[in-house]
Amino acid sequence: MKRILIKNAKIVNEGIIKTGDVLVEDQFIAAIGCDLSEESVDEVIDAKGNYLLPGVIDDQVHFREPGLTHKGDIASESRAAAAGGTTSFIEQPNTVPNAVTQELLEQKYQRASKVAYVNYSFMMGGTNDNLEELLKTNKENVAGIKLFLGSSTGNMLVDDQNVLEKIFSSTDMLIAVHCEDESTIRKNMAAHLEEYGEDIPIEKHPIIRSEEACYLSSSKAVELAKKTGARLHVFHLSTAKELELFRNDIPLEEKKITAEVCVHHLWFSDADYKTKGTLIKWNPAVKTAKDRDGLWEGLLDDRIDVIATDHAPHTLEEKDNVYTKAPSGGPLVQHSLVAMFEAHHQGKIDVERIVEKMCHNPAKLFKVRKRGFIKEGYYADLVLVNPNDPWQVAKENILYKCGWSPFEGTQFKSKVTHTLVNGQVVYKEGQVVVENAGQRLLFDR
């Protein structure tokens, strides 16, 4: 049994910051206290007064395996996640082939068991015709069901209202949705193609994938969840208007309808298209500064429950295309935590709230077993962050397989110094030092 002692840390947990030590034995947190003994300890990590957080749980990533591994794969992107302080991820089903059968879903789990640097779960994908397969999903070892209500890879657009109602009515699993109204988007796209041809200005992206498209779809999903009693989680809110659909007057544990915001929608606005171009082309689109401000307000008043990334790498060659050919998505998982610490330095959010929205709440929302908190008996998924060690994002320190970041050139004040996954130091002072430390996430449902 390996024993690691982390000393002199500012331990951030459940809204409190206290200075102390954490003893790790094998995979678990064995003790939390002050001046814990170094006797029989294999390794001592002096935190030097830096923050010790639970590992980040990112509830929405696209790691591109199988079928799209020229962009990223489970090994490369989970390695980048470890460097960024993310110790668990939930990956989406729109790989190639789409994970829309139990057999294809299990193949992803088997692959991750061999190569994942951090803990993993994979969503089961819904289509217009796979209800029988959806209902076979094991709620104890699969994070949930993912439905694309806007266009996606392959056959994953679920646009049959009868099918949607059947899915919502037939399962008690968490249903996560991408909400953009396809007919609205097609109408907007047709008008812009007529005006500009294929080379539509990137600034038109949030007009094509508009506030109306987002609100129309998310309001229908929320209405359907209320009608059927389904457990609904709405991914990547991008508009201030959508916030009226969500509540903050009950505890998260009692919510049947929850919401997520992504780092890029909290960071960028439509003013950034001028300099970033298609590098910040996401679906849903980055919208106005007013929308960004509204999302921050919703995050801080608890209408929005979690922060995630929607990490979705593409190659620079793919991104360097005219609007209609440049794919949507970008890599973020290595930089999400330090980006939120930057917001902390700007006075937008305190460290305790970062931990709540990136660690505690994803664990509560998905009912992740023994993760997301710094508690005795919980898995030792831990991250040390130095809040005052400036560094700049550059090609040479980007670990994504695609080799670029929308944050390239950005200087962050905070740095992840250590990441522990299941009691193993996976990342240490700029180096990934352990491979394949991840385990399959389990859920208390």
Side-chain angles (χ1 to χ4, degrees):
M1 177 190 294
K2 184 166 184 181
R3 303 173 87 237
I4 299 172
L5 181 63
I6 303 171
K7 294 183 67 71
N8 306 315
K10 288 181 182 172
I11 302 166
V12 188
N13 193 62
E14 296 185 287
I16 296 170
I17 300 176
K18 61 181 180 183
T19 300
D21 308 336
V22 173
L23 177 65
V24 174
E25 288 184 353
D26 206 10
Q27 299 180 59
F28 300 101
I29 297 169
I32 303 165
C34 296
D35 300 316
L36 296 181
S37 172
E38 295 184 23
E39 187 177 344
S40 303
V41 168
D42 300 290
E43 182 179 355
V44 176
I45 299 172
D46 187 353
K48 301 174 183 174
N50 293 326
Y51 290 111
L52 182 67
L53 322 178
V56 171
I57 301 173
D58 192 331
D59 80 350
Q60 189 192 182
V61 304
H62 303 264
F63 281 179
R64 303 306 193 194
E65 188 172 1
L68 300 165
T69 53
H70 67 287
K71 305 172 191 275
D73 55 52
I74 293 169
S76 66
E77 307 313 282
S78 66
R79 183 171 177 262
T86 292
T87 58
S88 299
F89 66 84
I90 298 173
E91 210 258 2
Q92 303 307 301
N94 57 328
T95 41
V96 180
N98 299 153
V100 295
T101 69
Q102 295 300 322
E103 182 182 3
L104 290 169
L105 180 64
E106 189 57 31
Q107 286 173 12
K108 294 176 75 168
Y109 279 105
Q110 292 303 315
R111 177 60 178 164
S113 71
K114 296 178 175 67
V115 300
Y117 285 73
V118 300
N119 306 308
Y120 52 88
S121 190
F122 297 90
M123 287 273 190
M124 175 64 179
T127 72
N128 280 329
D129 52 16
N130 77 333
L131 179 61
E132 190 175 323
E133 282 292 305
L134 284 181
L135 296 182
K136 296 176 186 175
T137 307
N138 185 337
K139 62 185 180 182
E140 291 184 10
N141 64 11
V142 176
I145 290 167
K146 172 68 178 289
L147 303 179
F148 287 90
L149 308 185
S151 59
S152 181
T153 307
N155 182 39
M156 293 201 66
L157 174 62
V158 184
D159 57 358
D160 184 317
Q161 194 62 28
N162 291 329
V163 169
L164 272 175
E165 188 150 350
K166 280 183 183 176
I167 294 172
F168 273 60
S169 301
S170 302
T171 180
D172 59 358
M173 286 198 73
L174 179 145
I175 300 170
V177 289
H178 175 133
C179 287
E180 289 182 287
D181 182 67
E182 191 65 18
S183 61
T184 301
I185 293 167
R186 285 176 181 165
K187 179 183 174 184
N188 292 340
M189 177 65 90
H192 282 77
L193 283 170
E194 187 175 343
E195 183 173 354
Y196 296 101
E198 296 285 312
D199 195 8
I200 298 168
I202 183 61
E203 291 83 359
K204 302 297 182 183
H205 187 51
I207 298 170
I208 293 170
R209 303 189 83 95
S210 62
E211 174 193 83
E212 179 191 12
C214 293
Y215 183 81
L216 189 59
S217 182
S218 54
S219 60
K220 284 180 178 177
V222 168
E223 182 182 358
L224 187 56
K226 288 179 178 176
K227 177 182 176 182
T228 59
R231 174 67 186 90
L232 178 69
H233 183 50
V234 181
F235 276 157
H236 46 44
L237 293 187
S238 64
T239 74
K241 183 175 176 61
E242 289 170 284
L243 292 169
E244 68 187 52
L245 301 170
F246 302 94
R247 298 177 61 179
N248 62 358
D249 58 339
I250 56 174
L252 174 58
E253 293 88 342
E254 296 176 22
K255 289 185 180 182
K256 294 274 288 190
I257 299 169
T258 52
E260 169 212 278
V261 68
C262 290
V263 169
H264 48 284
H265 291 123
L266 293 172
W267 187 280
F268 298 105
S269 77
D270 57 0
D272 295 305
Y273 288 116
K274 186 174 182 179
T275 55
K276 295 289 184 179
T278 57
L279 295 182
I280 62 165
K281 184 186 180 194
W282 277 282
N283 298 340
V286 168
K287 296 185 174 67
T288 67
K290 184 178 178 182
D291 285 307
R292 180 180 59 192
D293 292 345
L295 292 168
W296 271 109
E297 183 180 329
L299 180 72
L300 296 173
D301 72 13
D302 295 333
R303 285 173 290 170
I304 297 175
D305 304 289
V306 299
I307 300 169
T309 64
D310 195 16
H311 174 92
H314 299 284
T315 66
L316 279 173
E317 290 76 18
E318 290 167 330
K319 279 289 196 178
D320 188 21
N321 266 302
V322 297
Y323 174 82
T324 51
K325 293 184 171 63
S328 294
L332 281 168
V333 76
Q334 186 182 345
H335 303 107
S336 57
L337 182 57
V338 291
M340 288 300 100
F341 262 82
E342 200 65 21
H344 165 65
H345 285 294
Q346 295 165 3
K348 293 179 180 176
I349 188 170
D350 60 37
V351 175
E352 300 94 318
R353 293 283 267 170
I354 293 173
V355 168
E356 178 188 19
K357 300 294 184 175
M358 300 186 82
C359 313
H360 298 339
N361 282 4
K364 289 180 181 179
L365 197 151
F366 286 89
K367 301 185 178 179
V368 182
R369 184 174 299 168
K370 290 189 175 182
R371 301 188 193 274
F373 295 83
I374 301 178
K375 292 182 178 180
E376 293 177 5
Y378 272 54
Y379 287 97
D381 296 340
L382 300 165
V383 182
L384 273 170
V385 178
N386 184 338
N388 296 299
D389 188 3
W391 63 289
Q392 187 166 303
V393 181
K395 293 278 186 206
E396 55 268 23
N397 55 40
I398 291 170
L399 297 186
Y400 310 128
K401 193 173 189 178
C402 66
W404 66 274
S405 165
F407 288 122
E408 214 164 315
T410 301
Q411 180 157 306
F412 289 119
K413 291 185 174 70
S414 305
K415 182 183 285 184
V416 173
T417 67
H418 296 72
T419 303
L420 282 75
V421 180
N422 299 309
Q424 296 187 72
V425 179
V426 173
Y427 178 81
K428 181 179 181 180
E429 301 290 1
Q431 299 293 322
V432 179
V433 294
V434 169
E435 302 178 10
N436 193 25
Q439 296 180 10
R440 184 170 183 163
L441 296 177
L442 299 175
F443 305 93
D444 290 321
R445 299 168 172 159

